Amino acid sequence: MNSPLHITRSVTKTVSIARPPADVFAFVADPANWPRWAVVNVQAVEPTADPDWWLMDTPRGPARLRVRGEAAMGLLDHDYVDREAAWSVPARVVPNGEGSEFMITFFQPPGFTDDYFDQQIALVDKEMAALKREMEASA
């Protein structure tokens, strides 16, 4: 008898942005821009000796960020590592008429209670709104 597959709880957030996908991709793919839009979770960033990884100041303390982007496919997956946990976050930029959709999926990390995960996900709405404002203001 087959055992059921384990499914991790996830939430996907989406925002429409009135900017071409290449512009949105280039902005989000550059970790130096993250404090401008990831306003809840990223307080500051700086490059490290490893060109793939950036050091971040976050509300949870220091962390590392790596963006694994592929412009042709709109892939903006990124990896997050702090002293307590590590996880990957899939993200995409896709065309929407002359603009873009930015989509990001969060999987509930082990050790996060449902309530804590829900609280953190609610904060992402502020970041998505900040990304939209930032991108559309510079159009």
Side-chain angles (χ1 to χ4, degrees), residues 14-36:
T14 303
V15 65
S16 299
I17 301 172
R19 289 291 296 273
D23 293 355
V24 175
F25 180 90
F27 185 80
V28 176
D30 183 352
N33 292 326
W34 283 47
R36 295 170 55 190

Side-chain angles (χ1 to χ4, degrees), residues 45-69:
V45 295
E46 63 184 77
T48 67
D50 181 339
D52 291 336
W53 287 94
W54 288 66
L55 183 62
M56 299 187 304
D57 290 331
T58 77
R60 293 170 49 100
R64 294 183 309 134
L65 170 72
R66 173 177 61 185
V67 178
R68 293 177 285 114

Side-chain angles (χ1 to χ4, degrees), residues 8 53 56 60 62-66 68 78-90 105-112 117:
T8 300
W53 287 94
M56 299 187 304
R60 293 170 49 100
R64 294 183 309 134
L65 170 72
R66 173 177 61 185
R68 293 177 285 114
H78 53 281
D79 301 314
Y80 174 90
V81 179
D82 71 16
R83 66 182 174 269
E84 298 173 4
W87 57 86
S88 294
V89 180
T105 299
F106 298 92
F107 295 94
Q108 184 171 340
F112 278 28
F117 184 66

